[in-house]
Amino acid sequence: MNEINQLIDSSAFSDLDRHFARFIELQAGGNRPLVALAAALASSTRMEGHICLNLEALAGTPFPENPIEGVKPIQLPSLSGWTKELKTSPVVGSPGQFRPLVMDARHRLYLHRYWQYEQALAAEILNRTNDAADKSNDEVLRQKLEDLFPAASAGAVNLQSVAAFAAARGKFCVISGGPGTGKTHTLVLILALLLDLDPARKLRIAVAAPTGKAATRIQDSIRNIKSKLACREEIKSQLPENATTIHRLLGYLPDSASFRHHADHLLPFDVVAVDEASMVDLALMAKLFQAIPPAAHVILLGDKDQLASVEAGAVLGDVCAAASGGNYSKAFRQHFEKLTGQKLPVVPGVQETSPLRDRVVQLKKNYRFGEHSAIFQLSTAINEGHAEDVLSILRSSAGDVKSDLVPAGLPSRAMLKETLKDKVIAGFSDFLKAAEPLQAIEAMSRFRVLCALRQGPYGVAGLNELIENILEAAGLINCQNPWYSHRPIMITRNDYHLKLFNGDNGVILTNHATGEARAFFPGPDNSLRQILPLRLPEHETAFAMTVHKSQGSEFDRVLLVLPDRESPVLTRELLYTGITRARKSVELWSDAEIFAAAIRCKISRQSGLQEALQAV
């Protein structure tokens, strides 16, 4: 047991993990190293994005799995001995018991709060799947679907109309799909459909996203789509004009984990749509669902193949996985065919028992790239984990001046600055020439350098410093002042008083007449917010940014730089997310072997949500 105590006190765990482990051990009566070890691992696991600790997978294995300097690995206890010790501890309970740690029948160990979040969210979602399909309005629904959605070609199915049918038929719907598959366009059509099905009700609609930039992007998209929508002006006028962050929607309370809206003070909306749902962690999603009225429609939009939330959980992925392979129920298929004449295919060998089988629609047709786009082909091959296909696509794109994908070898550290020079001067030229804040903010979306890592020469910190040096040497910026003009910044800590949130992008510009610098951030209707730089919360320079931080953003051109060695963060999901941030073209700097290894590495977050959602 001495080696367990040494491990807990080592750098294998953070200070938070160690203090939590010793606190739990003390509450258990003291001198309970197996309990302390489980607590330390449960705390550490949550920080890695997992909802729970899978004791069955860990028991009897060496830990830490990867070498850590100064840490002696140990063999973790056997499952039977470890779980016996936990079950006899007063700090570990079964599901439903009020204990700091919860262990279920599958030997998943939860922090009690996260077990509650998981159970609450599963219950809220399943409650919304129990509503019976209302067929009293079938003739009106048939006509509206025909008006809003074009007929599919012979034998094909318009999946956007399937999503609209699912959203109108029930109170919960998930629309997943990659960039360019028309998720936002489908949402606007669904909102128009719901408004037109019951025009006398005047539905109250809220559209939200996890970050300010994602909210601004879907807001702009909705307004653009709305202006071209072929529907009655009365309906068009009721479509939402604004989107907000989930935190603002719920009513954030400074210095609190709670919100103004909750189960006892519900949101005043009949429809709540959430964009970029893959970025929403378990805790926030659970709080959101509890605050939405039971009779309201909930529509989640997102890409299940993207990176999951930075915080614990992979909610959208779990929900989509719980739909059991895409086979709709017989009743759903027959009802849809009766109204549209389109016949939904049946996937052989896939059971249709999941309660979510009629609630999840995966959009597949890409309206942005087309099937011949190298970006589209590469992202598809990455998703499917076909490393050989990926390498073949990279080889065929090399030297093809018409390709939207430009693969290149990773420059050596010695040559990195020289290789980067022309790329960043050309890429940021429009941004650096922009004299007005709105012009600069718009130009920021034309080019960005994305990285997998934060540290190291190929990470955000190293590349931002290198880019600043290049641009300063070219006379384009002056870094002597930390608030130099045309410094792109990203907020890294929420500030509820200033209404600036982690991930928000802005730019520092200097008034040349007064010499005063201001930080500018985009607001609704092309408005601007300006803030004194000294008042800004924690932030960082953002010529380069991590792929994680780029979620919810899109850029005309992307330079994706991968490191020169393998890393746990290099995964299939990271590659897919980074490549699909590009609207027009992506240049990829990578070693082929490291790229192939990343494709073979798929993120798996420990959670019981999928299983809970499949309960019948």
Side-chain angles (χ1 to χ4, degrees):
M1 294 301 177
N2 188 46
E3 64 178 3
I4 291 179
N5 285 319
Q6 290 177 351
L7 177 66
I8 294 171
D9 294 331
S10 75
S11 59
F13 295 103
S14 68
D15 290 342
L16 175 64
D17 301 333
R18 286 192 291 273
H19 285 299
F20 178 71
R22 294 310 182 192
F23 172 76
I24 290 296
E25 183 181 32
L26 183 63
Q27 300 304 306
N31 195 27
R32 304 287 292 265
L34 290 182
V35 174
L37 177 62
L41 287 167
S43 175
S44 174
T45 293
R46 186 189 67 81
M47 296 304 292
E48 293 170 359
H50 302 288
I51 300 302
C52 54
L53 177 69
N54 188 334
L55 291 172
E56 287 187 3
L58 280 178
T61 66
F63 182 87
E65 183 179 359
N66 299 311
I68 299 175
E69 186 176 353
V71 177
K72 181 183 178 182
I74 70 167
Q75 196 82 6
L76 292 177
S78 67
L79 182 64
S80 59
W82 204 358
T83 54
K84 182 179 180 181
E85 175 73 2
L86 293 175
K87 287 176 181 178
T88 60
S89 165
V91 296
V92 180
S94 300
Q97 291 184 307
F98 189 71
R99 303 282 177 84
L101 298 172
V102 175
M103 185 167 63
D104 67 11
R106 297 279 298 274
H107 302 123
R108 290 180 292 224
L109 188 70
Y110 293 81
L111 303 180
H112 187 271
R113 183 159 49 115
Y114 279 82
W115 178 81
Q116 280 189 313
Y117 286 145
E118 185 176 277
Q119 295 301 306
L121 179 59
E124 287 287 342
I125 292 176
L126 289 175
N127 285 342
R128 294 172 194 277
T129 66
N130 290 331
D131 52 320
D134 180 9
K135 299 184 180 181
S136 61
N137 220 11
D138 266 11
E139 182 52 35
V140 177
L141 178 57
R142 184 197 64 75
Q143 186 59 55
K144 301 304 178 186
L145 286 171
E146 185 178 301
D147 292 343
L148 289 169
F149 296 93
S153 57
V157 175
N158 184 336
L159 290 173
Q160 292 185 344
S161 67
V162 178
F165 174 71
R169 195 173 186 264
K171 300 297 184 185
F172 175 68
C173 177
V174 176
I175 304 171
S176 179
T181 52
K183 296 187 296 294
T184 306
H185 187 263
T186 303
L187 172 64
V188 176
L189 293 176
I190 288 172
L191 297 180
L193 174 65
L194 294 176
L195 286 165
D196 216 0
L197 286 174
D198 193 0
R201 191 177 172 190
K202 306 290 184 186
L203 294 177
R204 299 164 297 173
I205 300 171
V207 178
T211 65
K213 62 185 177 183
T216 300
R217 192 162 66 84
I218 191 172
Q219 175 179 283
D220 293 342
S221 296
I222 288 175
R223 291 180 180 183
N224 182 48
I225 296 165
K226 173 181 172 179
S227 65
K228 304 171 185 175
L229 199 61
C231 68
R232 292 184 292 119
E233 285 300 322
E234 179 187 354
I235 298 301
K236 193 179 293 189
S237 67
Q238 295 180 62
L239 288 168
E241 281 286 320
N242 299 304
T244 184
T245 64
I246 297 173
H247 286 80
R248 291 172 190 158
L249 178 70
L250 291 174
Y252 52 83
L253 300 173
D255 305 316
S256 171
S258 301
F259 293 95
R260 189 167 64 250
H261 290 285
H262 44 75
D264 296 320
H265 184 210
L266 298 174
L267 289 163
F269 297 106
D270 305 301
V271 182
V272 176
V274 180
D275 192 28
E276 298 290 353
S278 65
M279 297 171 62
V280 185
D281 62 89
L282 174 70
L284 184 57
M285 193 72 88
K287 293 172 184 179
L288 173 64
F289 267 76
Q290 288 178 309
I292 299 174
H297 288 267
V298 181
I299 304 168
L300 302 183
L301 305 164
D303 186 348
K304 67 178 179 62
D305 297 311
Q306 261 189 215
L307 283 166
S309 60
V310 175
E311 302 296 331
V315 175
L316 185 69
D318 283 341
V319 171
C320 290
S324 296
N327 254 354
Y328 301 100
S329 69
K330 183 177 180 180
F332 184 94
R333 295 196 307 271
Q334 290 179 340
H335 193 187
F336 180 73
E337 184 177 359
K338 176 185 175 184
L339 294 187
T340 67
Q342 301 177 60
K343 191 169 184 177
L344 289 167
V346 178
V347 181
V350 177
Q351 298 295 317
E352 54 173 60
T353 57
S354 168
L356 295 181
R357 62 193 180 279
D358 298 338
R359 312 292 173 151
V360 177
V361 179
Q362 176 74 27
L363 302 182
K364 297 177 181 178
K365 183 177 180 180
N366 197 296
Y367 296 90
R368 178 183 302 169
F369 295 117
E371 294 182 1
H372 298 294
S373 159
I375 290 179
F376 176 76
Q377 293 172 357
L378 183 65
S379 60
T380 301
I382 289 172
N383 262 345
E384 295 171 352
H386 297 160
E388 288 302 318
D389 290 347
V390 166
L391 296 178
S392 175
I393 293 166
L394 292 176
R395 285 192 295 268
S396 63
S397 296
D400 183 354
V401 294
K402 295 182 179 180
S403 177
D404 54 6
L405 171 67
V406 182
L410 185 68
S412 67
R413 298 186 184 194
M415 291 299 297
L416 183 57
K417 183 175 181 179
E418 185 62 30
T419 311
L420 196 61
K421 180 180 176 180
D422 291 341
K423 302 291 182 186
V424 298
I425 289 176
F428 291 115
S429 61
D430 289 345
F431 167 65
L432 295 170
K433 291 175 185 174
E436 299 298 323
L438 280 176
Q439 291 176 337
I441 288 170
E442 190 278 328
M444 283 171 61
S445 69
R446 296 179 194 168
F447 174 75
R448 197 64 59 99
V449 179
L450 301 184
C451 318
L453 306 180
R454 290 198 55 79
Q455 303 302 323
Y458 301 100
V460 165
L463 284 175
N464 269 318
E465 183 178 353
L466 207 56
I467 292 169
E468 285 183 320
N469 291 339
I470 291 170
L471 297 179
E472 187 171 40
L476 298 172
I477 60 174
N478 181 3
C479 299
Q480 302 307 308
N481 183 338
W483 312 121
Y484 64 83
S485 191
H486 290 86
R487 179 189 171 201
I489 58 173
M490 174 182 286
I491 301 301
T492 57
R493 181 181 292 274
N494 293 340
D495 187 317
Y496 294 102
H497 298 290
L498 291 176
K499 296 183 179 178
L500 290 175
F501 300 93
N502 187 6
D504 285 354
N505 282 273
V507 60
I508 304 289
L509 288 178
T510 302
N511 184 318
H512 294 293
T514 63
E516 295 181 339
R518 292 289 187 273
F520 292 91
F521 293 87
D525 299 321
N526 285 327
S527 64
L528 284 167
R529 299 175 57 213
Q530 55 176 302
I531 296 170
L532 284 169
L534 289 174
R535 294 189 65 204
L536 289 172
E538 292 180 24
H539 59 279
E540 61 189 21
T541 303
F543 286 111
M545 60 199 298
T546 62
V547 174
H548 274 90
K549 290 287 188 179
S550 74
Q551 291 186 91
S553 299
E554 291 180 349
F555 310 98
D556 288 347
R557 293 175 293 126
V558 164
L559 172 58
L560 179 59
V561 181
L562 300 186
D564 57 353
R565 61 198 64 191
E566 292 185 28
S567 166
V569 305
L570 276 178
T571 63
R572 185 185 304 177
E573 291 82 359
L574 182 135
L575 297 180
Y576 171 81
T577 303
I579 288 165
T580 56
R581 295 312 87 202
R583 284 188 289 248
K584 295 181 179 178
S585 68
V586 60
E587 184 166 349
L588 174 64
W589 289 6
S590 172
D591 175 88
E593 290 186 8
I594 290 174
F595 196 89
I599 294 167
R600 292 190 288 269
C601 183
K602 185 170 174 60
I603 292 176
S604 177
R605 289 195 167 180
Q606 298 298 327
S607 162
L609 182 59
Q610 179 183 341
E611 182 180 307
L613 290 171
Q614 289 175 321
V616 180

